Amino acid sequence: MTDNFIAFFYRERLLVAVVSMLIVAGGILALRRLNVDAFPDVTPVQVEIDTDAEGLAPEEVEQQITFPIENDMNGIAGVTRVESESKFGLSVVTVYFTDDTDIYFARQQVFERLADAKASIPAGFEPTMGPITTGTGQIYLYQIVGHGQSNQELRTIQDWIVKLQLRTVPGVADVLDFGGDVKQYQVIVDQQALVNYNIPLKTLFEAVQNNNQNTGANFIEHGDEQYVVRGIGLVKDIEDIKNIVLDSRGGTPIRVSDVASVEIGSELRQGAVTKDGQGEVVTGIVLKRINENTKQVIERIKEKVVEINKALPAGVKIVDFYDQAELVDNSIHTVVESLIEGEVLVLVILVLLLGDFRSSFITAAAIPFCMLVAFILMWYANLSANLMSLGGLAISIGMMVDATVVMVENIYRHLEEHREHSTREAILVAAQEIGRPMFFAILIIIAVFLPVFTLQGIEGKLFKPLAYAVTFSMIGSMVMALCIAPMLCALWLRLKRGEVRQNRIIGFFKGIYVPVLKWAIRHRNIALTIALLLLVWSAADFYILGSEFLPTIDEGNMLVRATMPASISLTRAMDVSTQIEKKLLEFPEVETVVAKIGRADLGGDPESVSNDELYVRLKPKAQWTTAKTKDELVDAMRRRVEGFPGVEFNFSQVIQTRNDELISGINAQIAVKIFGEDQDTLHQVGEQIRDAMAHVRGVEDLAVEQVAGEQHLEIELDRAQIARYGLNIADVLEVVKIAIGGDEATDVLEGQRRFAIFVRLKADYRNQVDKLNDILIAAPVGGRIPLGQLATLKLSSGDSVIDREKSLRRIVVKCNVKGRDIGGFVHDAQAQVAAQVKLPPGYFITWGGQFENAQEATRRLLIAIPIALLLVFVLIYTCFSSLRNTLTIIFNIPIAMVGSTAFLLVSGFPLSVPALVGFIAVFGIAVQNGMVMVSYINKLRNGGMELHEAVITGASVRLRAELLSALIGSISLIPFILSSGTGAEIEKPLASRGRTGHPADQNRNSADGL
C-alpha cells in the first residue's frame, strides 16, 4: 500500500507541486489568523457570584448571604466544587464545573439557581455573576493622569468617559475602576438639630428619597397637536437638596439645610491605588473576555486609548503601566528566535554531512513546511500560538526533519550507486525502499504522544496544546517525506552517472565507528553489561532528580504582596504602602511601583484593606547593578522591606500568582488546607502546621492565611427595653445603619452621570464610641430614646474573612519554595507535619499547589505511557511481522533514556512535566531510527548476506542517516537550552533530553536480536 501511495504521488508531480503551494499559502494565512498568547488558558470553567453586602461583618455575610448561595449551587449538573469567601461587606461564591461544560450553559444553570437562593437572602442584597473572563484576564492596566485635577475629578472621568468607551472594544469583558474618590452628594446630619426640631432621622432620610423624581402623565390633545406631559421633580444640585422640606411649624417650613449640611464628598471605599511613593492615583483594569486573542484585544484597546485621549479634557490622558502584550511578545520572540537559530544549525549540519547544497535545502525545507501544516491544523482546531504549542514545534524540529533526512539520504545514496536504469527510477525505488518503515515510524511518534492527551485539569490544558502541535507537525512530516521530498529530488538533484562524492566527515566517523561496532559485537556480553549498568544508573537518576510541576518563568516583573494587620484602616494602609514603595524604588533595577490596596469594584479580586499588592516593573537586565539574577534581587528586596512591623511579604510575579491561584485557589506555590467547623480551632491548627514547616529546607514566605484580628464594635440590643418603648428591632437597627454607616437615599442625575445622595451623622457623633450611645431613636409612644438605653456597645475581636470549601470552613498555610525542588520539599514538610501536629476529631488537611498537579500528571503518565508503548509494540510488529525485530527496536527506548536523565542531572533541572514530555519525544525518535536501521539490515539479509556482515554493512551504510538524525535532533535544540529570554524556563526542560544509543547501541542490539 505504501509503495503504491508513493508511486502515485511521484508520478503526479504537478499535482503535488500545486498542493504544496496551496499548503504553504494556507499555512501563512493561518499563521496570521492564529490566536497569540503567552500561555495556554488554564482557567477552569467557573462562575463567580458577587454580592455587595455593604456594612455587614464577615459572620453575617456568611450566615445571611454566602451559605444560602453556596448551598443552592451544590447539586448543579457538572459542578466539581464550590468555594466561597465572606469578608466585610462582600460575599464571593465561586462554582467550578467540569472542563467539558460550556461556560454559557454553566452561567445559565447558576442564574436559575440564584433565583431560589435570593428567597433566602435578606432584601436589599442582589447577587450578580462576575464577568466572563479568565484567571489571567487582567491584560491592560492604566492610570488616569491629569495636571491640576483632583482625584475625584479624575475618577469621574474614568467612570463616565474612559470606562464606558473601553467597554465597547471587541474582546473586552469589563473594565474595573480602582483608586480615587467617587463623587457623592452627602447630607451630613447634626443630631442636636434633629433634637431641637424634634425630627426623627428616618423622617429626614425618607424625605430625601421622596423629593427626587420625575413622572409621566401620558399626553393631552391641544388643537391639532398632542403634548406629552412630563412631571419634573428631580434634584439638580446641592441647593435643591437643601430646600427639601421635612416639616412645617406655624407655617414655617423646616428644611434639610436646617438640620444638616449638604456638600460634595466621596463614597466609602475599601480600596485605593498608590504609585511610586507619590500618593494615590486613579487607575483602571481591563478584563479580557474568555477565548479571545490577548494580543489582538490589547492592540484594539491601544487604538481606542488614542481616540479617548483626544477627547479628554486638556491635561488629562491615559497612561498604561502594565501591558500583557509585552509578555506575549517576549515569550513568542524567545521561541521564534530559537526556532530560527535551530533551523540555521540544521542546515549547517545537513550541508556538512550530505556534502550537497541541493539535497540539504530539500531536507531543511521540511521544517518550515511541517510548521505551516501545523499552523493550518492549529487554526482549524482553535489552538493558540503560545509557549506550549510553539514549544511542541520546538522539540519536534528533529522529528520534523528526521523522515525527510532518511528519505533524501537514501535517494542520494541510490543516485551515487546508480544501480537502476534511470535517475527517476532510482529515486522511486529508493523512496519505496524505506517508505513502509517511515510511515509506521511517524505513526509511532504520534502514538507515543497519546499519553499527553490523557492529562486532565490544569496540566491537561497546559500540555495538550504541545501534543497537538507535535501531532500536527508529524502529519506534515509524513506528507513531506513520502510525497514532496521524492518530487523535489527528481526536479533538483543533479548527480552524474557513476559519480560518488566522498564525504570526509562521514569517512572520519566511519573510521571510528565501525571498529567500535565490531568490538561491541565480538564482546557482546561486555557491551550488554555496560548497557545494563547505564540503565541502572539512569533509573537511579529518577530518585536523585527532584520534581516540580512547571519551572518558574521570569516575566520581567514582580508582584510583592504585603499583608498588614487585619484591623488596619485604609488611610494607614496607604501610608505603609507608600513607605514600602519608596524602599523598593531605592533599587536602580526598579522602573515603577504601583500598589493596589484592598479591592476594586465587584468582579475584581476580593481583597481586604490589609492586603497590598505591589506591582514592580523592572528595567531590562542589562541595566541591573544590584544583582545579576532575579533571585538575588528578590533576596535584596526582602531584606530591605523586612523592617515594617506586623507586615508579611510574599514575592512572586503577576501571571505566576494568577496561575497559583488557579491551581490551588491560593497565591503561593504550596497550600496546606485545613478543614473544620470552628475558626479558632482552625487557626490554632494552622499555627502548629506553620511551626512544623518553619525549619524545612527551602521554605520561603511561610504564613498562615490571615483570617482573624479584625476589631468589631458590637451593638447588642436589649429586647425587653425595646418592647417597653413599643419599638421593633428593625426600627432601631435601621436608624443605627443610617446614623453610623450611612445609607444612599437616592441619586442625582447629571445628564447620563449618576451620583448617590448619602445620608449620615456628623463625624463627631459617629467616630467616638461613647457618643454613639446618644443616637436618638423615635419611639411610637412618643419621645426620643438614646441608643444607650436600648443596647449595649462593646468591642470584640472577630474574623476578617471566612473561607469555605467542601461545605466546611477552611484556612490555609501557604509558602513558596526556593533553592530546591517542590516535590522533595513537600515530602519533607509532610513528614514534619505528621510527626508534630495532631488534628482534632472532625478536622482534616489536604496538600495543594503545583506539586499536586505534578503528582496527578505523573500518575496519569505512568499509566498511559505503558499503554502507549504497547500500541508502539503492536505497530512495530505490524510493520515487521517479527517478534525478534520488534523487541530489538523497543530496546532502543531505555537506552535512549540514559542520555536524557544524565543531562537533567548534570544541568540541575528537576524532573518536571515538561521534562517528562521531552522523554516522550525521545521514545518516538529512538523507535523511528531503530525501525529504519532494522529494515535495511533485513533487506541485506534477504539478499543473501550473512547476519554479522549484514549488521556491519547496514550500520556502515546507514551511519550518515543515523548521524544526521541524532545531530539534528540534538543540536537544533541547543538554542533553546542556551536561551535566556522570557519563557526559556519552560523550553529548557523540553529541549534538555540528551540522545544516546545512536547508532552503536542500536546496531549491537540488531546483531543480538535479529
Side-chain angles (χ1 to χ4, degrees), residues 724-744:
R724 178 182 175 187
Y725 292 104
L727 290 165
N728 293 315
I729 294 290
D731 298 329
V732 178
L733 292 182
E734 186 175 3
V735 174
V736 169
K737 177 184 176 183
I738 298 171
I740 301 175
D743 200 4
E744 293 181 5

Side-chain angles (χ1 to χ4, degrees), residues 492-729:
W492 290 351
L493 285 190
R494 298 291 182 268
L495 201 63
K496 295 179 180 179
R497 180 181 294 273
E499 178 185 3
V500 179
R501 300 177 181 177
Q502 296 296 328
N503 189 304
R504 294 182 180 180
I505 298 176
I506 297 299
F508 171 78
F509 280 112
K510 279 186 178 181
I512 298 174
Y513 169 64
V514 173
V516 171
L517 177 60
K518 290 179 178 179
W519 180 91
I521 294 175
R522 287 196 307 269
H523 304 85
R524 63 188 65 188
N525 292 332
I526 298 175
L528 287 173
T529 301
I530 294 172
L532 290 174
L533 289 175
L534 288 174
L535 289 177
V536 172
W537 179 49
S538 179
D541 286 347
F542 280 99
Y543 293 95
I544 299 172
L545 292 169
S547 63
E548 65 181 9
F549 180 52
L550 278 178
T552 300
I553 297 175
D554 185 356
E555 302 173 24
N557 61 55
M558 288 186 192
L559 190 67
V560 183
R561 184 182 293 266
T563 304
M564 294 173 266
S567 59
I568 195 169
S569 67
L570 179 59
T571 303
R572 178 56 183 160
M574 292 168 62
D575 291 340
V576 174
S577 179
T578 300
Q579 296 174 39
I580 297 173
E581 293 161 32
K582 292 178 179 178
K583 288 287 186 183
L584 293 174
L585 284 167
E586 292 175 2
F587 290 88
E589 292 80 5
V590 175
E591 183 176 321
T592 188
V593 181
V594 180
K596 296 188 295 182
I597 306 161
R599 59 178 177 261
D601 296 341
L602 286 180
D605 297 326
E607 303 293 352
S608 302
V609 171
S610 59
N611 182 80
D612 182 14
E613 286 188 358
L614 297 105
Y615 166 70
V616 182
R617 184 169 183 166
L618 300 175
K619 297 176 182 177
K621 280 191 175 181
Q623 302 178 28
W624 288 18
T625 58
T626 305
K628 294 181 180 179
T629 66
K630 187 80 164 286
D631 287 341
E632 291 177 0
L633 184 60
V634 168
D635 289 340
M637 287 182 171
R638 182 178 280 108
R639 289 192 297 269
R640 189 72 60 89
V641 300
E642 276 179 348
F644 289 91
V647 181
E648 296 177 347
F649 290 93
N650 179 288
F651 286 77
S652 185
Q653 302 175 107
V654 176
I655 301 297
Q656 180 185 346
T657 297
R658 300 300 176 195
N659 285 335
D660 286 339
E661 290 175 345
L662 290 174
I663 289 171
S664 64
I666 305 298
N667 47 16
Q669 292 176 324
I670 303 296
V672 185
K673 298 181 180 180
I674 310 142
F675 297 90
E677 287 292 338
D678 182 68
Q679 284 287 96
D680 292 336
T681 304
L682 287 171
H683 191 69
Q684 291 171 8
V685 174
E687 290 180 336
Q688 293 173 19
I689 293 175
R690 178 197 60 194
D691 294 341
M693 295 174 60
H695 302 293
V696 178
R697 183 174 63 85
V699 69
E700 190 172 56
D701 302 327
L702 177 65
V704 180
E705 189 177 38
Q706 191 182 70
V707 296
E710 191 170 75
Q711 294 298 309
H712 295 173
L713 174 62
E714 297 180 354
I715 301 175
E716 189 173 342
L717 300 181
D718 186 331
R719 292 182 178 273
Q721 284 292 95
I722 290 174
R724 178 182 175 187
Y725 292 104
L727 290 165
N728 293 315
I729 294 290

Side-chain angles (χ1 to χ4, degrees), residues 220-489:
I220 63 173
E221 292 186 0
H222 182 75
D224 295 334
E225 294 181 320
Q226 174 178 290
Y227 294 163
V228 176
V229 181
R230 297 174 60 204
I232 307 299
L234 287 177
V235 169
K236 297 182 179 63
D237 51 33
I238 288 178
E239 289 302 316
D240 287 350
I241 300 173
K242 287 181 177 181
N243 290 324
I244 292 175
V245 176
L246 305 178
D247 200 355
S248 179
R249 308 282 169 81
T252 302
I254 302 172
R255 297 181 171 86
V256 167
S257 58
D258 295 324
V259 297
S261 61
V262 183
E263 58 192 39
I264 300 294
S266 303
E267 274 189 6
L268 298 176
R269 55 181 179 157
Q270 285 288 288
V273 180
T274 57
K275 183 182 178 186
D276 293 337
Q278 301 298 315
E280 189 175 4
V281 295
V282 177
T283 67
I285 303 171
V286 182
L287 303 180
K288 180 194 74 169
R289 188 183 299 119
I290 196 169
N291 296 329
E292 292 287 342
N293 186 319
T294 300
K295 189 171 175 60
Q296 291 181 3
V297 174
I298 292 177
E299 288 174 354
R300 291 194 287 264
I301 291 170
K302 289 181 176 179
E303 292 173 0
K304 193 67 175 181
V305 165
V306 173
E307 294 180 15
I308 298 172
N309 276 333
K310 294 177 181 178
L312 293 178
V316 180
K317 62 180 180 179
I318 302 169
V319 179
D320 66 83
F321 60 86
Y322 176 75
D323 175 0
Q324 205 175 101
E326 293 180 11
L327 178 63
V328 174
D329 290 338
N330 292 338
S331 301
I332 300 303
H333 174 75
T334 297
V335 179
V336 171
E337 184 180 53
S338 297
L339 282 171
I340 294 173
E341 293 171 353
E343 171 80 2
V344 172
L345 290 174
V346 167
L347 185 59
V348 171
I349 296 167
L350 288 169
V351 172
L352 289 176
L353 297 188
L354 286 177
D356 180 78
F357 280 99
R358 292 176 182 266
S359 57
S360 298
F361 278 106
I362 291 173
T363 306
I367 296 177
F369 180 83
C370 293
M371 287 187 177
L372 291 174
V373 171
F375 291 147
I376 293 173
L377 296 175
M378 286 169 62
W379 174 76
Y380 180 77
N382 199 28
L383 292 177
S384 68
N386 52 61
L387 270 177
M388 301 310 298
S389 57
L390 293 181
L393 296 180
I395 66 170
S396 61
I397 283 183
M399 294 182 284
M400 289 180 200
V401 79
D402 262 355
T404 306
V405 162
V406 174
M407 178 64 72
V408 173
E409 193 277 336
N410 202 52
I411 291 173
Y412 192 82
R413 182 176 54 81
H414 270 262
L415 291 177
E416 284 184 328
E417 298 173 358
H418 219 288
R419 293 170 298 186
E420 283 70 34
H421 298 292
S422 67
T423 298
R424 290 189 175 182
E425 185 180 351
I427 292 174
L428 179 59
V429 170
Q432 291 176 330
E433 180 180 276
I434 59 170
R436 179 177 172 84
M438 289 308 307
F439 176 77
F440 277 94
I442 294 173
L443 287 182
I444 286 168
I445 290 177
I446 295 174
V448 297
F449 274 90
L450 292 179
V452 182
F453 290 103
T454 67
L455 296 177
Q456 301 294 321
I458 300 292
E459 57 271 23
K461 293 181 179 181
L462 277 172
F463 293 103
K464 282 181 181 178
L466 182 149
Y468 277 115
V470 172
T471 302
F472 295 157
S473 68
M474 288 300 96
I475 294 173
S477 177
M478 183 181 295
V479 173
M480 180 69 189
L482 301 182
C483 303
I484 299 176
M487 180 267 293
L488 293 177
C489 288

Side-chain angles (χ1 to χ4, degrees), residues 760-928:
R760 199 181 194 188
L761 282 184
K762 274 185 178 182
D764 293 343
Y765 292 101
R766 56 182 165 79
N767 283 347
Q768 298 183 41
V769 176
D770 293 340
K771 290 191 175 183
L772 296 180
N773 287 306
D774 299 329
I775 294 175
L776 298 178
I777 313 295
V781 296
R784 305 286 181 267
I785 315 301
L787 179 62
Q789 294 184 19
L790 303 174
T792 303
L793 280 66
K794 62 180 181 180
L795 290 173
S796 66
S797 180
D799 298 319
S800 61
V801 59
I802 300 175
D803 291 324
R804 297 178 60 87
E805 185 180 347
K806 300 178 181 179
S807 296
L808 291 170
R809 288 180 171 179
R810 179 207 75 191
I811 71 166
V812 175
V813 180
K814 57 185 179 179
C815 71
N816 293 324
V817 180
K818 181 182 177 183
R820 65 178 301 189
D821 65 286
I822 292 179
F825 172 84
V826 172
H827 180 270
D828 293 347
Q830 287 177 330
Q832 290 294 323
V833 171
Q836 300 181 34
V837 179
K838 184 177 181 180
L839 294 175
Y843 291 75
F844 64 95
I845 66 173
T846 61
W847 292 73
Q850 289 191 10
F851 94 98
E852 185 180 26
N853 294 81
Q855 285 185 333
E856 179 61 27
T858 303
R859 280 195 296 267
R860 285 186 175 274
L861 290 177
L862 289 178
I863 295 172
I865 287 175
I867 297 174
L869 291 178
L870 179 61
L871 178 59
V872 168
F873 182 91
V874 172
L875 288 172
I876 297 173
Y877 187 83
T878 302
C879 181
F880 290 98
S881 300
S882 168
L883 181 62
R884 180 171 294 182
N885 287 348
T886 302
L887 294 175
T888 300
I889 295 168
I890 286 289
F891 190 67
N892 284 319
I893 292 177
I895 290 294
M897 291 287 292
V898 174
S900 301
T901 56
F903 190 92
L904 286 178
L905 188 64
V906 172
S907 60
F909 291 124
L911 185 63
S912 59
V913 178
L916 288 175
V917 174
F919 288 153
I920 291 173
V922 173
F923 295 169
I925 298 171
V927 169
Q928 174 180 280

Side-chain angles (χ1 to χ4, degrees), residues 23-318:
I23 290 174
V24 170
I28 295 172
L29 181 62
L31 178 59
R32 295 171 61 89
R33 295 186 175 183
L34 271 181
N35 289 345
V36 180
D37 283 302
F39 308 98
D41 182 13
V42 298
T43 306
V45 180
Q46 63 182 38
V47 180
E48 183 178 294
I49 305 166
D50 303 315
T51 308
D52 187 356
E54 184 178 352
L56 292 186
E59 288 86 348
E60 280 71 42
V61 173
E62 181 196 31
Q63 291 175 347
Q64 300 179 30
I65 300 174
T66 302
F67 183 75
I69 295 175
E70 179 185 308
N71 191 47
D72 276 311
M73 294 304 115
N74 286 314
I76 294 179
V79 169
T80 57
R81 73 180 191 274
V82 179
E83 296 182 0
S84 66
E85 193 171 11
S86 302
K87 293 188 174 183
F88 169 66
L90 178 67
S91 166
V92 179
V93 178
T94 307
V95 187
Y96 294 87
F97 291 81
T98 55
D99 289 339
D100 58 350
T101 304
D102 179 76
I103 182 62
Y104 295 99
F105 172 79
R107 291 176 70 86
Q108 178 63 31
Q109 296 298 303
V110 169
F111 179 78
E112 292 175 2
R113 287 294 183 97
L114 273 180
D116 297 331
K118 288 177 183 178
S120 304
I121 297 174
F125 299 114
E126 188 67 27
T128 59
M129 290 187 289
I132 309 176
T133 186
T134 68
T136 56
Q138 296 186 6
I139 60 172
Y140 189 82
L141 279 66
Y142 61 89
Q143 176 187 353
I144 307 295
V145 178
H147 300 291
Q149 304 271 355
S150 69
N151 273 339
Q152 187 177 90
E153 292 170 329
L154 294 176
R155 176 61 186 261
T156 301
I157 292 171
Q158 157 62 17
D159 288 343
W160 298 103
I161 299 178
V162 177
K163 178 178 180 177
L164 298 182
Q165 290 300 308
L166 288 179
R167 277 178 167 174
T168 66
V169 175
V172 170
D174 202 356
V175 180
L176 304 180
D177 310 302
F178 208 161
D181 298 316
V182 178
K183 180 180 176 181
Q184 190 178 67
Y185 289 83
Q186 295 187 340
V187 179
I188 308 301
V189 181
D190 184 338
Q191 179 167 265
Q192 189 58 49
L194 290 179
V195 173
N196 295 339
Y197 284 103
N198 195 26
I199 294 177
L201 179 60
K202 187 176 180 181
T203 299
L204 182 149
F205 186 83
E206 291 174 348
V208 175
Q209 278 185 321
N210 297 331
N211 282 272
N212 183 37
Q213 64 178 356
N214 282 1
T215 190
N218 219 316
F219 67 92
I220 63 173
E221 292 186 0
H222 182 75
D224 295 334
E225 294 181 320
Q226 174 178 290
Y227 294 163
V228 176
V229 181
R230 297 174 60 204
I232 307 299
L234 287 177
V235 169
K236 297 182 179 63
D237 51 33
I238 288 178
E239 289 302 316
D240 287 350
I241 300 173
K242 287 181 177 181
N243 290 324
I244 292 175
V245 176
L246 305 178
D247 200 355
S248 179
R249 308 282 169 81
T252 302
I254 302 172
R255 297 181 171 86
V256 167
S257 58
D258 295 324
V259 297
S261 61
V262 183
E263 58 192 39
I264 300 294
S266 303
E267 274 189 6
L268 298 176
R269 55 181 179 157
Q270 285 288 288
V273 180
T274 57
K275 183 182 178 186
D276 293 337
Q278 301 298 315
E280 189 175 4
V281 295
V282 177
T283 67
I285 303 171
V286 182
L287 303 180
K288 180 194 74 169
R289 188 183 299 119
I290 196 169
N291 296 329
E292 292 287 342
N293 186 319
T294 300
K295 189 171 175 60
Q296 291 181 3
V297 174
I298 292 177
E299 288 174 354
R300 291 194 287 264
I301 291 170
K302 289 181 176 179
E303 292 173 0
K304 193 67 175 181
V305 165
V306 173
E307 294 180 15
I308 298 172
N309 276 333
K310 294 177 181 178
L312 293 178
V316 180
K317 62 180 180 179
I318 302 169

